[in-house]
């Protein structure tokens, strides 16, 4: 299977799962759904991979990031459209690229992305300021997820999916104090628990496995360039699944972020 197809699978399920999760928020609190998502993934990976329990600071750090990122991401999409949260996710990545390589291309990328987020903020900030706080925290954690995910994918200690399995088990334990209480309604309703487990499969198992397979086979620059499509994918899924039809200003904001991420990716000669 070509590595690009792994990325396509990851991109679709990365936001399809959260879109389905939004539909559960009427029955289960966002933190409860987030924990059930992490728990489902941890159980699936533990049964499937049966990873060796190897102490690793890298895996512990990635587990902490996964726990926090999933939790604040769900708190953000509980308040803001999926496409808006997805667009904000990429601002720290572009800022870091601009600081690391102060080229005209990176400056243009930062200006485009900042302009896109400014448009989105102008539309939504007044109505949902707390949603933007959660989205901003999620953005920082998403940048850490990509950095640590690449290290795990190419680690010689616990590489790829086995490393992901251990990190997800760590994440489930770390998110337990905040998620188990809000998740209790699901344990008295088998249909609701099955739906939450389905969200976990769509959100954390399928896309994260596809991410690891793509990261291990694609150069970081190539992967970063393809990631620029994620805000647009999230916007389309938000329209189809949640009927979150964006305004013209929001569409322009998402497109500016997509352009910024694409410009901020390493040039083609660095992608080999």
């Amino acid at each position: 299977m070509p590595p690009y197809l792994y990325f396509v699978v990851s991109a679709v399920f990365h936001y399809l799962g959260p879109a389905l999760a939004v539909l559960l928020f009427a029955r289960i609190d966002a933190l409860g759904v987030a924990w059930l998502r992490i728990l489902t993934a941890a159980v699936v990976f533990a049964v499937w991979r049966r990873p060796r329990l190897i102490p690793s600071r890298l895996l512990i750090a990635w587990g902490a990031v996964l726990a926090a990122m999933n939790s604040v991401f769900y708190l953000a999409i509980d308040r803001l459209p999926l496409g808006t949260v997805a667009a904000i996710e990429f601002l720290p990545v572009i800022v870091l690229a601009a600081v690391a390589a102060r080229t005209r291309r990176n400056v243009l990328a930062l200006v485009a992305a900042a302009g896109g987020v400014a448009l989105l903020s102008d539309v939504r900030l007044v109505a949902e300021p707390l949603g933007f706080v959660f989205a901003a925290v999620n953005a920082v954690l998403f940048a850490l997820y990509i950095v640590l995910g690449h290290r795990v994918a190419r680690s010689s200690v616990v590489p790829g999916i086995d490393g992901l399995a251990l990190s997800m088990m760590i994440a489930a334990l770390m998110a337990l104090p905040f998620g188990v209480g809000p998740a209790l309604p699901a344990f008295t309703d088998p249909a609701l628990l099955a739906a939450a487990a389905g969200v976990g499969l769509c959100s954390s198992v399928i896309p994260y496995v596809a991410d690891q397979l793509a990261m291990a086979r694609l150069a970081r620059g190539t992967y970063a360039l393809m990631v620029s499509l994620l805000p647009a994918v999230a916007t389309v899924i938000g329209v189809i699944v949640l009927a979150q039809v964006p305004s013209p200003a929001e569409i322009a904001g998402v497109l500016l972020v997509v352009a910024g991420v694409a410009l901020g990716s390493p040039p083609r000669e660095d992608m080999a």
Side-chain angles (χ1 to χ4, degrees):
M1 183 172 174
Y4 302 100
L5 291 183
Y6 288 124
F7 178 83
V8 171
V9 171
S10 171
V12 171
F13 280 92
H14 191 78
Y15 294 110
L16 178 61
L20 298 175
V22 171
L23 302 177
L24 291 179
F25 288 167
R27 302 283 302 278
I28 309 174
D29 184 78
L31 284 177
V33 178
W35 182 67
L36 288 170
R37 162 186 174 168
I38 299 169
L39 179 64
T40 299
V43 171
V44 170
F45 284 129
V47 173
W48 172 31
R49 303 300 299 185
R50 298 181 182 178
R52 292 178 297 136
L53 299 178
I54 299 176
S56 167
R57 286 183 293 181
L58 173 60
L59 296 182
I60 292 172
W62 203 31
V65 168
L66 285 168
M69 182 181 72
N70 281 291
S71 298
V72 297
F73 178 72
Y74 274 33
L75 289 170
I77 63 174
D78 189 27
R79 294 164 172 82
L80 295 172
L82 190 59
T84 299
V85 177
I88 294 171
E89 271 186 332
F90 292 95
L91 192 57
V93 178
I94 300 170
V95 170
L96 289 174
V99 171
R102 299 174 185 176
T103 65
R104 182 177 300 176
R105 178 190 179 101
N106 289 106
V107 171
L108 288 174
L110 183 57
V111 170
V117 172
L119 277 175
L120 294 169
S121 302
D122 186 56
V123 174
R124 297 283 178 178
L125 185 57
V126 175
E128 286 291 351
L130 187 57
F132 267 87
V133 172
F134 289 133
V137 174
N138 173 69
V140 175
L141 293 169
F142 181 68
L144 288 174
Y145 163 77
I146 291 177
V147 172
L148 295 176
H150 269 286
R151 291 181 182 176
V152 171
R154 304 183 181 195
S155 169
S156 60
V157 180
V158 189
I161 299 173
D162 285 347
L164 173 62
L166 282 174
S167 294
M168 195 62 71
M169 293 162 65
I170 293 168
L173 291 174
M174 289 186 170
L176 175 67
F178 309 101
V180 66
L184 287 178
F187 292 103
T188 60
D189 187 334
L192 195 58
L193 184 61
V199 167
L201 288 171
C202 290
S203 301
S204 293
V205 177
I206 296 174
Y208 288 171
V209 168
D211 268 350
Q212 284 296 298
L213 294 171
M215 287 177 181
R217 291 162 174 79
L218 292 171
R220 184 175 297 186
T222 304
Y223 182 82
L225 181 61
M226 296 179 74
V227 160
S228 68
L229 300 173
L230 289 182
V233 173
T235 301
V236 171
I237 290 176
V239 171
I240 295 173
V241 180
L242 302 173
Q244 294 177 341
V245 180
S247 67
E250 288 174 317
I251 293 174
V254 169
L255 291 177
L256 279 172
V257 172
V258 168
V261 178
L263 284 170
S265 300
R268 188 162 298 276
E269 58 267 21
D270 294 338
M271 294 182 182

